[in-house]
Amino acid sequence: MNRKTLVLPALAGLLAPVLAACGSSDDAGDGGDPIVVGVATHIEATKSAPAPLDPAQAYDVDAWNVMRATLQTLMRLPRSGTAPVPDAAESCGFRDTQNEQYRCTLRKGLKFSNGHALTAQDVKFSIERMKTINNTNGPVSLLDDIDKVEAPSDTEVVFHLSKPDATFPQKLTTPAAAIVDSQVYPKGHLYSGFNVVGSGPYTVKAERSGNHIAKALFTKNPSYQGGLKTHNDKVEMRFYADSADTERALRKGDIDLMNRGLSPSQVQGLENARDSHITLQTMTGQEIRYLAFNTKDPAVSNKAVRQAMAQIVNRSDLVRNIYAYTGDPLFSMVPTGLTGHINSFFNKYGNPNVAAARKTLRDANITTPVKFTLTYTTSHYGSSTAKEVRALQQQFNSTKLFDVSVKGIDSWQQYRTDAVAGKYSVYSMGWFPDIPDADNYIAPFIGKQNFLGSPYRNGKIESQLIPASRQQSDRNAAAADFKQVQDIFADDVPVLPLWQGKQYVAAHDDITGISWALNAASGLQIWELGRGVSD
């Protein structure tokens, strides 16, 4: 993603993106060498998380990018915009006025990559399997509202929801609702390893290095029946230790494209890389970064401590000094650009105010300095994460109200497992949306099966505001409920929003389709990439 060509996000469907490279994109990548995508992360199998490409476990943007290309869903997000369109389904829709019964008719002739027929029974199996396994680190919470799934025929699926949910069609576009082969995937446990058997636009073959994927080769699936058009025959995904290694590979010509995790200095350097025939394109993004709290940890269990942190944190300093304005300060978990966003944290706390933080702690009889460790992952969110955490440490410690140490964890899977287990009192996290709706920046962090494993509970949000918002098919009508939730978050501070990032794609200028490379949920759409002729 060229800085000088600003492309508005697909989120609002406001404008159709312009072509990012010269030349034709019609099947430009068919035949010949694969288009090579570089990714600055690891997809790894660990003892605690042995199935990184099983939809019942995988819940991170990189694994989902693999699954979106290989595992089919009933619905998918369109090229631009947020209204789901059919993929494995021929048609889908609510069959009642309460948004509680959702019925889909499947396309005829669907097959998995192993030749097995895909039927409504496989859809039923996939959803029930996700709920049966109920993996702590997985996306099962996205399917919480499903009470029962029926398959009255080979081509009909009926979802009965326990409560109204107008966002349900969007949830069916996510890998949480991916359709797996009931003859291959075990019903009661994870499908370990790096193999994928799906019916998506590609098959994939992974090359391992130790416990993680070094390369993944995606090959056009001749049996795919769906609404997507692939503009290439093959895509190779290579995984690197960090974005610096990925950029070097891009400049050397080892890869054709990279996105995500770019440091500010890399963004600035790639903006001026025209002599290298590299285009950097910028999109307004919906990635957010925040601090998460174990609200039962003695150091931060009193919300006055978390409120004092909210009064001290200087988002503008982070955006300016660490990220060189490649992001914007964020004062709510719901990012700007989504219906229902308000600056709830700024409305409550205003600009950084040490005196106010001191009074908050004193009034709550909190002994200072408050001591805790701020933990972060070194391998998942880019090389600037360590600098960000050190800057936050300095912000808190300079007030003498806090005594913060920092600790980095190399393994992303271990980091996630330990965080959900409550082993960290305060830790740095990022969020890419599952679906482009304000609900997805609220609901995953609330309730018994929340993404963070957080012990924080709020009855009004869980039993009133979220259910009320999901009754609104018109998402503008849900804005009032979302605003109340954001104000409650600002008061209780179960999470502390920091910044909202832009999205970048850097590619050689003979690569076409990069304007379509990311969908409204920040998912990588490798099928849009082609190889054309540069000017």
Side-chain angles (χ1 to χ4, degrees), residues 48 64 90 123 183 196 204 248 359 406 488 500 502:
S48 59
W64 273 26
E90 185 176 88
V123 178
Q183 298 181 60
V196 179
V204 65
R248 280 191 287 271
K359 183 177 186 303
V406 298
I488 293 172
Q500 173 180 348
K502 297 180 175 70

Side-chain angles (χ1 to χ4, degrees), residues 342-394:
I342 59 170
N343 291 318
S344 53
F345 276 77
F346 185 83
N347 295 341
K348 183 171 179 62
Y349 301 110
N351 291 316
N353 190 326
V354 176
R358 183 178 295 108
K359 183 177 186 303
T360 295
L361 294 172
R362 184 173 62 244
D363 291 349
N365 296 316
I366 303 295
T367 301
T368 58
V370 178
K371 187 174 183 178
F372 64 83
T373 297
L374 173 54
T375 310
Y376 69 100
T377 172
T378 64
S379 61
H380 197 67
Y381 295 117
S383 58
S384 295
T385 305
K387 295 178 182 178
E388 175 188 328
V389 170
R390 296 287 180 185
L392 287 168
Q393 177 191 34
Q394 195 278 332

Side-chain angles (χ1 to χ4, degrees), residues 24-36 201-202 218-222 228-235 256 510-512 526-533:
S24 170
S25 63
D26 295 336
D27 298 317
D30 287 357
D33 295 332
I35 293 171
V36 184
Y202 296 90
F218 298 85
T219 303
K220 190 174 180 178
N221 180 7
L228 293 173
K229 178 182 179 181
T230 57
H231 294 269
N232 57 70
D233 278 345
K234 293 181 180 180
V235 173
D256 296 303
D510 66 333
I511 299 300
T512 60
I526 62 172
W527 50 88
E528 295 287 357
L529 303 176
R531 200 180 297 278
V533 180

Side-chain angles (χ1 to χ4, degrees), residues 317-431:
D317 177 77
L318 296 177
V319 168
R320 180 182 62 250
N321 297 333
I322 306 301
Y323 290 101
Y325 300 105
T326 56
D328 297 298
L330 182 63
F331 295 92
S332 167
M333 288 296 285
V334 178
T336 58
L338 287 182
T339 298
H341 163 84
I342 59 170
N343 291 318
S344 53
F345 276 77
F346 185 83
N347 295 341
K348 183 171 179 62
Y349 301 110
N351 291 316
N353 190 326
V354 176
R358 183 178 295 108
K359 183 177 186 303
T360 295
L361 294 172
R362 184 173 62 244
D363 291 349
N365 296 316
I366 303 295
T367 301
T368 58
V370 178
K371 187 174 183 178
F372 64 83
T373 297
L374 173 54
T375 310
Y376 69 100
T377 172
T378 64
S379 61
H380 197 67
Y381 295 117
S383 58
S384 295
T385 305
K387 295 178 182 178
E388 175 188 328
V389 170
R390 296 287 180 185
L392 287 168
Q393 177 191 34
Q394 195 278 332
Q395 287 183 14
F396 293 132
N397 288 353
S398 65
T399 67
K400 308 301 183 184
L401 300 174
F402 292 91
D403 180 7
V404 179
S405 57
V406 298
K407 181 179 181 180
I409 305 297
D410 291 336
S411 168
W412 165 245
Q413 291 291 359
Q414 193 62 51
Y415 184 74
R416 279 285 295 130
T417 299
D418 289 346
V420 170
K423 294 184 179 181
Y424 310 142
S425 56
V426 185
Y427 54 104
S428 171
M429 286 294 291
W431 184 253

Side-chain angles (χ1 to χ4, degrees), residues 123-140:
V123 178
K124 181 176 186 291
F125 168 84
S126 301
I127 299 299
E128 292 177 344
R129 175 179 183 268
M130 173 73 73
K131 294 174 74 70
T132 297
I133 293 176
N134 195 28
N135 186 270
T136 303
N137 291 333
V140 65

Side-chain angles (χ1 to χ4, degrees), residues 108-167:
K108 295 179 180 178
L110 294 171
K111 290 183 179 179
F112 290 106
S113 56
N114 59 8
H116 294 169
L118 188 162
T119 70
Q121 284 74 26
D122 291 296
V123 178
K124 181 176 186 291
F125 168 84
S126 301
I127 299 299
E128 292 177 344
R129 175 179 183 268
M130 173 73 73
K131 294 174 74 70
T132 297
I133 293 176
N134 195 28
N135 186 270
T136 303
N137 291 333
V140 65
S141 61
L142 288 172
L143 308 181
D144 275 352
D145 289 342
I146 297 177
D147 183 48
K148 182 173 64 173
V149 186
E150 294 178 323
S153 74
D154 283 350
T155 58
E156 292 180 279
V157 182
V158 183
F159 297 93
H160 297 273
L161 307 184
S162 58
K163 58 179 81 72
D165 186 0
T167 70

